[in-house]
Amino acid sequence: MALVLYDREEAEQEMEGGDGKMEAELCISLSTSCSSEAPSSPSSSSTCSVDRVAVRRALQHFEMLRSADKAGRADLNAGKAMRQQGMWLNRVKYFGHVPGVEVGDVFHFRVELCIVGLHGHIQGGISWIGGDDNKWGEPVANSIVLSGGYEDDDSGERFVYHGAGGNHQNTARPGCYAQDQSLDRGNLALANAFLFQVPIRVIRGIESGLKKKSYRYDGLFRVTRYWDEVDGDGWTVYKFLVERKGMSFDKNEVAKNLRKYRTS
């Protein structure tokens, strides 16, 4: 069963009133942190209640703005407004888990991944940290989204992730290429995640009754191999084998922790 950080009807009720109290509490929670340092251990996610509350309230505020916007792509408009107001969380890019987000959390809109700092791009499937901002001096991936844009061979605990670029923009069939992929940008960052053995966050697109697709944070994985090959049309494609190496995902434990949080 899908796990969610907030209930939309509850969020709307909490945001009603107009006395500014909820807005003030939200701003306080967004500016408060349990630690000024990024998580250093990839084996455990943030359990700080302040961070958790900040994430939940940010998503509530996003839903309030989105529901009030009657224009097209209200989700993007709401995300843009929050960014302009400095309400996006975890703006320092992280390797490993991010504060306030737990394995199994479900997000209803792609832009919410950016709002909470889980993924760095609204559209791009590979997020990375540039060489100027990490100890290796090279771009290194920190998260990927599996959303069906390419024909990723996914069995759950391990999958083959197709590199970015080269896809034909005018076809509904994923995995159809129009030019060679190259080992740069996100593809190079994934290759470096393999080289330096840096765990990456994996977010999966899942079918949802609320809308066509939601996104679930599935935890930390490692790139264990990558290679290039020529597809049936003669184009070079990069592929990355990604596995949950020694990082178990207990759905029952996640559900129990989330219920405990929501009722506290």
Side-chain angles (χ1 to χ4, degrees), residues 228-249:
D228 66 312
E229 63 182 49
V230 178
D231 73 355
D233 296 322
W235 303 115
T236 298
V237 179
Y238 281 90
K239 296 186 177 182
F240 302 84
L241 179 61
V242 184
E243 302 180 83
R244 193 194 301 275
K245 301 287 286 186
M247 301 171 185
S248 62
F249 176 22

Side-chain angles (χ1 to χ4, degrees), residues 54-66:
V55 166
R56 186 170 187 266
R57 289 185 171 177
L59 296 178
Q60 289 175 334
H61 192 70
F62 164 81
E63 181 59 22
M64 180 193 71
L65 295 177
R66 189 197 66 82

